[in-house]
Amino acid sequence: MIDWRAIDTVLLDMDGTLLDLHFDSHFWLEHLPRRYVELHQLDEATQEVVRSKVLHEQGTLNWYSLAYWSRELDLDIVALKREVQHLIGLRSDALDFLKWLRQAHPRVVLATNADRESLELKLPLTGLEEYLDVIVSSADLGVPKEVQAFWPALQAVEPFDPARTLFIDDNPRVLTSAREFGIRHLLGIKQPDSTRPERELEEFVALDRFAAILPGNLPPGQGPGAPDKGVQGGGHG
């Protein structure tokens, strides 16, 4: 599926791509509305108001900003996330894929809409940072990945050739934006949330496992699960 000789850079999304989206789905649509009602001592029906308020910001920087929601809802969002942080975890073979990339040749960039507060929570719990060359948040660039201006802003801080770049993301709107910019190799994710059914993407090939795009005949010591010669130490937690 992928000619790795034609790839210099791999851009990776975090939530729903490397990490199971179940944590975020549960937090924003269930845990947060419930805790909002409890902490502010409101009627149960207010939960739906909170869900609608959150979903209204979908695709904007506000949607991804923990500071924004802390102000809007008068809550400590980071503290509330820590209440369910045990749900934060890697998707199936994401770690094997990252280990293979680390031992192969591409530059690996985390291009995420998660803000820095989210990253500070999730990176130590998942150990992702060990396998990444650089981390770029849309909050750093002032525009989300759904918006075309994200891509030249990313390219300015992390130069890449769109024709020789692979980008993997679970969000079809983001993939469409990347395609418009000219990124040649694009892949989606069939099951971002392990608790929800798989889905097919109309305009993009969607992966069920990362192993599907790895070379079929790797030399000894170069495949997923091989000795991790390129990484010093273990994960962060």
Side-chain angles (χ1 to χ4, degrees), residues 112 131 154:
T112 178
Y131 306 97
L154 173 63

Side-chain angles (χ1 to χ4, degrees), residues 35 64 66 73 77 84 117 152 186 188 194 224 233:
R35 295 292 283 133
Y64 303 104
L66 303 194
L73 302 176
I77 297 297
V84 288
E117 286 186 296
L186 299 165
S194 64

Side-chain angles (χ1 to χ4, degrees), residues 128-229:
L128 284 179
E129 206 165 3
E130 296 283 347
Y131 306 97
L132 305 168
D133 291 306
V134 69
I135 297 169
V136 180
S137 165
S138 61
D140 302 336
L141 305 181
V143 61
K145 290 185 292 184
E146 288 89 338
V147 177
Q148 191 62 200
F150 172 88
W151 303 102
L154 173 63
Q155 201 173 41
V157 299
E158 180 59 36
F160 63 92
D161 178 357
R164 297 185 59 83
T165 295
L166 167 64
F167 176 48
I168 308 178
D169 198 295
D170 67 301
N171 187 331
R173 290 178 59 192
V174 171
L175 290 170
T176 298
S177 180
R179 182 176 61 190
E180 289 174 4
F181 181 68
I183 294 179
R184 181 175 181 182
H185 306 279
L186 299 165
L187 292 170
I189 298 293
K190 280 188 178 181
Q191 192 178 28
D193 182 332
S194 64
T195 67
R196 299 187 179 188
E198 290 188 355
R199 80 269 167 85
E200 295 293 338
L201 304 184
E202 291 184 4
E203 300 182 29
F204 302 97
V205 173
L207 298 174
D208 54 356
R209 292 180 60 82
F210 292 109
I213 59 171
L214 295 181
N217 297 302
L218 293 171
Q222 292 297 306
D228 193 7
K229 300 175 183 176

Side-chain angles (χ1 to χ4, degrees), residues 33-161:
R34 181 170 64 251
R35 295 292 283 133
Y36 179 85
V37 164
E38 292 171 356
L39 293 170
H40 290 301
Q41 299 181 342
L42 299 171
D43 186 89
E44 286 292 317
T46 309
Q47 289 192 42
E48 190 56 42
V49 175
V50 175
R51 291 189 192 97
S52 297
K53 188 177 183 67
V54 170
L55 292 172
H56 180 71
E57 297 293 337
Q58 194 166 7
T60 70
L61 279 183
N62 288 342
W63 165 265
Y64 303 104
S65 171
L66 303 194
Y68 172 82
W69 291 114
S70 291
R71 292 192 306 270
E72 285 293 303
L73 302 176
D74 191 24
L75 293 172
D76 185 340
I77 297 297
V78 175
L80 292 181
K81 281 200 163 197
R82 291 194 181 280
E83 292 179 352
V84 288
Q85 68 179 24
H86 61 280
L87 297 177
I88 297 172
L90 292 157
R91 289 187 61 256
S92 59
D93 62 344
L95 186 58
D96 283 340
F97 180 50
L98 288 168
K99 287 181 177 180
W100 182 82
L101 289 174
R102 190 68 167 170
Q103 296 176 50
H105 64 87
R107 185 162 176 80
V108 181
V109 178
L110 188 71
T112 178
N113 274 328
D115 69 2
R116 288 292 167 176
E117 286 186 296
S118 289
L119 288 167
E120 288 171 7
L121 174 65
K122 293 176 178 178
L123 292 178
L125 294 173
T126 59
L128 284 179
E129 206 165 3
E130 296 283 347
Y131 306 97
L132 305 168
D133 291 306
V134 69
I135 297 169
V136 180
S137 165
S138 61
D140 302 336
L141 305 181
V143 61
K145 290 185 292 184
E146 288 89 338
V147 177
Q148 191 62 200
F150 172 88
W151 303 102
L154 173 63
Q155 201 173 41
V157 299
E158 180 59 36
F160 63 92
D161 178 357

